[in-house]
Amino acid sequence: MALLQISEPGQSTAPHLHRLAVGIDLGTTNSLVASVRSGIADTLADGEGRHLLPSVVRYLKGADPVVGDVALAAAADDPLNTIASVKRIMGRGIDDVKTLGGTLPYEFAPGESGMPRICTAAGLYSPVEVSAEILRSLKRRAEASLGGDLSGVVITVPAYFDDSQRQATKDAGRLAGLPVLRLLNEPTAAAVAYGLDRKAEGVFAIYDLGGGTFDISILRLNRGVFEVLATAGDSALGGDDMDHAIADWMLRQAGVGVSGDPHGARRALRDARAAKHVLSQSAQAAVCVTRPDGSVWHGTLARAEFDALVNPIIERTVAPCRRVMRDAAITAADISEVVLVGGSTRMPRVRERAATIFCRTPLTDIDPDRVVAIGAAIQADILIGNKPSDEMLLLDVIPLSLGIEIMGGMVEKIIARNSTIPIAKAQDFTTFKDGQTAMAIHVVQGDRELVSDCRSLARFELRGIPPMVAGAGRIRVTFQIDADGLLSVSAQEQTSGAASSVVVKPSYGLSDAEIERMLRDSIVHAREDNDARNLREQQVDADRVVAALESALAADGDALLSAAERLEIEHKLSLLRSVRDGTDVACIRDGIDTLDRATREFAARRMDAGIRKALSGHRLDEFG
Ligand code: AMP
């Protein structure tokens, strides 16, 4: 694995050699696989021309699992062995799954390390295994359609997926025998499909309304770096709710009780969905209901009635949109593009509403069901090296942490290992000494605790910090890794605005073997590093106490201390100085505590003197 770049400029691996790469949208309801062929990204169909693969797996005793449409068709009759919506439980523990409660009809058994397993006629299966089954099916489809083994795969995940959900998705990919290049956030993939990554900068809203979930994400692109500013949504909102509303209306019109017969209700749901699809293109749709007595009701669902049924559901997307803008600290006017994702955004009413929420016409050219898979395919094609080497490389992960040196030769990690890039992160630091006007920033890479065990990448200095007491200056250090793998680090003092920055290119010179060794070392030395870190922390603490006391003695020692008192304090001070360079953490701590006790009275007197000075010349009632 390359470090921050997949291919260095001018060192691309044989661009003429086309390697097979695909993007996979592993969805809650449906999944898709796409690839770039002759420069055009598109989804791949199965032998029967179907692009969408229902994310449903049916386990049968003594037979191979069945995936997709065939499994979906059996869901109603065999719900316990037909697993749908497994994405909702990926990376979740057994307790989380229980709280998801009634929404999932399966029986769960605890598996290894708290991972739930689903009980089926064919045995117990973890969510990872179920997802792997879906991925395997897409792999077979891709290999049949592209005519060879896959060299690289990008799988998309929701932007809000946490580490364990991402890890579970990656594990599913590995289990399915897929060479997973990386995971990509779904909203980012949608933005990539529209080529938004080629813009210089912008803020984008990705509005994703599918069958069962609604997600809204705000992304910011800045010099090739996509940042997820905020996400919100509703995990139980989508086209299915509309199907229910329409089906209930149809049954009411036909004079049939909603809770009547389950078969009739299921049929009504299917017909309601078909009518909804028709109404995305036509002003009305013909509907019918077969009553339990065999008679048939025929009716028409007109646009006005339809809108009245679905509007309350569409309106429920408004609050999350407002919230996400508030969380991202932006207004609709800041948004430069709106991308629509998910089958339900085919509805004209949904498009209109998205347009009014964000005050701009959404992008709709790409099929909203396929847009995420297409973006993933474009990324996979670049990552596998099918594009010329100067093509913008959007994403990768950093295999070693990046940070800066802090007092005591320790490393404060700012971007953690395995973070996907592009990425931007900021952290605040304070000044260490009274009157400090400059700060040296030393950028390092590695996962060890001490700077001496990490790789030095760059040094620069922030000057022009206004003199303040120690700890009062606030310096914000920002790390940004752009699409080309370029790391830039900037530092800014927050009160004065003094700024300084440097561009670093850390990918040169560190081989895969070196990365591996550094990772191995960080594990082997974890304990030792921890001890070293503790020691350094105590030493830094000691230095701070010594420096503060020295300046207090110089200022007020003569005025506020008797000769004996001063001697006593200086004795404790020299004791601390003598143990400071040793390796005994407890001894240094002891020295600090002793000195602290010995100087408490002195500190109190200084405070009184300070107050007296501040009050002199004023009457007490001025402060009342
Ligand atoms: P997804 O979860 O993104 O696959 O979206 C599936 C949802 O999109 C389902 O509720 C479908 O009924 C809905 N959908 C698909 N096509 C259309 C359409 N033409 N008009 C309205 N809804 C649609």
Side-chain angles (χ1 to χ4, degrees):
M1 192 201 324
L3 185 49
L4 287 176
Q5 288 196 312
I6 290 296
S7 56
E8 310 280 358
Q11 293 181 15
S12 150
T13 50
H16 54 277
L17 187 78
H18 191 88
R19 300 166 78 197
L20 301 181
V22 297
I24 290 180
D25 172 4
L26 186 59
T28 309
T29 322
N30 292 302
S31 297
L32 290 112
V33 56
S35 100
V36 177
R37 284 187 287 186
S38 312
I40 295 170
D42 204 358
T43 50
L44 306 174
D46 67 5
E48 290 165 55
R50 293 173 299 205
H51 289 251
L52 290 177
L53 175 76
S55 306
V56 183
V57 182
R58 185 180 182 205
Y59 289 94
L60 300 157
K61 200 174 171 118
D64 285 340
V66 183
V67 182
D69 288 290
V70 180
L72 179 63
D77 300 324
D78 188 17
L80 289 182
N81 298 312
T82 312
I83 318 301
S85 300
V86 70
K87 187 170 175 176
R88 289 189 194 270
I89 48 173
M90 285 292 273
R92 304 288 189 104
I94 186 108
D95 295 337
D96 301 330
V97 170
K98 281 186 191 138
T99 61
L100 288 170
T103 53
L104 300 164
Y106 327 115
E107 284 170 24
F108 292 99
E112 284 160 41
S113 60
M115 187 197 267
R117 309 191 83 189
I118 305 164
C119 311
T120 74
L124 300 175
Y125 292 97
S126 70
V128 169
E129 287 168 293
V130 179
S131 289
E133 217 49 74
I134 300 167
L135 291 172
R136 240 177 244 130
S137 173
L138 294 171
K139 176 176 185 258
R140 280 194 295 271
R141 177 192 295 190
E143 287 174 347
S145 154
L146 300 173
D149 290 344
L150 301 180
S151 298
V153 178
V154 167
I155 304 176
T156 59
V157 287
Y160 56 78
F161 253 26
D162 64 22
D163 204 56
S164 62
Q165 291 169 302
R166 284 169 196 264
Q167 201 53 55
T169 307
K170 237 178 172 171
D171 290 346
R174 258 212 324 261
L175 201 59
L178 290 171
V180 181
L181 295 169
R182 54 159 296 127
L183 303 178
L184 178 63
N185 285 333
E186 288 162 8
T188 307
V192 168
Y194 276 104
L196 299 182
D197 51 310
R198 290 197 290 273
K199 295 192 171 210
E201 54 183 38
V203 176
F204 311 124
I206 317 295
Y207 180 105
D208 180 349
L209 188 62
T213 54
F214 171 61
D215 291 313
I216 175 75
S217 316
I218 303 287
L219 303 182
R220 183 171 54 202
L221 177 73
N222 185 17
R223 294 195 296 136
V225 179
F226 267 113
E227 193 187 350
V228 180
L229 291 184
T231 64
D234 187 332
S235 58
L237 174 64
D240 298 348
D241 299 302
M242 303 184 195
D243 302 347
H244 279 284
I246 299 164
D248 288 354
W249 175 84
M250 284 163 49
L251 293 171
R252 273 199 314 276
Q253 295 296 307
V256 179
V258 173
S259 57
D261 96 278
H263 270 292
R266 258 204 309 275
R267 210 167 35 233
L269 263 183
R270 207 186 48 221
D271 294 349
R273 174 187 276 229
K276 178 183 75 175
H277 291 191
V278 168
L279 279 154
S280 285
Q281 322 232 326
S282 317
Q284 58 184 50
V287 281
C288 64
V289 173
T290 306
R291 300 189 180 95
D293 65 6
S295 65
V296 180
W297 168 81
H298 289 278
T300 301
L301 179 55
R303 160 89 44 210
E305 187 65 53
F306 175 66
D307 282 350
L309 290 170
V310 299
N311 267 354
I313 296 162
I314 299 172
E315 282 308 302
R316 286 171 53 201
T317 67
V318 177
C321 290
R322 300 246 157 88
R323 188 168 357 114
V324 84
M325 285 193 274
R326 211 172 41 239
D327 289 352
I330 59 156
T331 65
D334 298 315
I335 291 175
S336 43
E337 297 290 356
V338 179
V339 175
L340 297 187
V341 181
S344 298
T345 64
R346 288 207 183 86
M347 296 171 66
R349 188 75 200 105
V350 172
R351 294 183 175 189
E352 280 164 31
R353 201 60 186 103
T356 54
I357 298 169
F358 297 109
C359 308
R360 110 174 337 272
T361 310
L363 297 171
T364 52
D365 292 348
I366 306 177
D367 182 336
D369 276 327
R370 305 187 195 183
V371 63
V372 167
I374 286 173
I378 293 171
Q379 259 321 284
D381 198 47
I382 296 173
L383 287 171
I384 204 67
N386 286 337
K387 293 274 178 165
S389 57
D390 57 351
E391 178 89 16
M392 183 155 114
L393 174 69
L394 185 66
L395 302 143
D396 195 4
V397 299
I398 59 161
L400 293 168
S401 302
L402 290 161
I404 65 169
E405 175 172 355
I406 55 169
M407 294 306 297
M410 288 180 294
V411 180
E412 182 68 29
K413 293 180 184 114
I414 294 188
I415 296 184
R417 178 164 84 83
N418 275 338
S419 296
T420 50
I421 64 163
I423 189 171
K425 275 213 166 154
Q427 194 156 318
D428 286 356
F429 295 88
T430 56
T431 43
F432 179 73
K433 278 192 186 147
D434 287 347
Q436 185 177 340
T437 56
M439 185 183 251
I441 312 258
H442 181 199
V443 183
V444 297
Q445 179 162 42
D447 284 90
R448 301 286 300 275
E449 298 286 349
L450 299 181
V451 169
S452 50
D453 295 321
C454 291
R455 201 166 93 94
S456 167
L457 296 178
R459 289 174 190 273
F460 68 107
E461 216 168 52
L462 172 65
R463 295 185 170 281
I465 302 173
M468 284 175 262
V469 291
R474 211 152 55 84
I475 287 97
R476 176 158 301 168
V477 176
T478 306
F479 273 51
Q480 183 167 4
I481 306 173
D482 72 9
D484 292 316
L486 282 171
L487 167 69
S488 50
V489 181
S490 58
Q492 186 168 41
E493 202 290 310
Q494 298 293 291
T495 53
S496 67
S500 189
S501 65
V502 67
V503 173
V504 199
K505 189 147 195 186
S507 47
Y508 292 125
L510 206 56
S511 68
D512 287 3
E514 269 181 288
I515 294 171
E516 227 167 77
R517 182 187 53 70
M518 289 171 85
L519 284 178
R520 233 186 2 253
D521 282 357
S522 75
I523 296 162
V524 173
H525 296 289
R527 169 105 189 246
E528 203 179 287
D529 275 8
N530 209 19
D531 292 347
R533 189 177 180 106
N534 274 342
L535 177 62
R536 292 300 171 100
E537 270 169 2
Q538 290 305 331
Q539 288 174 331
V540 169
D541 231 19
D543 291 347
R544 191 179 46 74
V545 169
V546 168
L549 186 57
E550 278 171 345
S551 90
L553 283 174
D556 297 320
D558 292 342
L560 301 177
L561 293 172
S562 69
E565 284 169 336
R566 185 168 185 146
L567 209 63
E568 171 68 13
I569 288 177
E570 276 173 351
H571 173 62
K572 300 272 162 41
L573 186 60
S574 68
L575 274 182
L576 177 58
R577 279 205 203 92
S578 67
V579 293
R580 185 258 177 234
D581 291 327
T583 54
D584 191 337
V585 178
C587 218
I588 304 173
R589 185 72 256 160
D590 226 40
I592 294 172
D593 290 345
T594 313
L595 190 60
D596 186 49
R597 277 193 301 274
T599 54
R600 250 179 227 159
E601 175 59 26
F602 178 39
R605 283 184 209 161
R606 292 192 78 213
M607 201 188 300
D608 286 349
I611 292 171
R612 242 179 282 123
K613 199 163 140 204
L615 295 183
S616 68
H618 296 276
R619 292 192 323 273
L620 205 57
D621 56 7
E622 282 178 48
F623 300 95

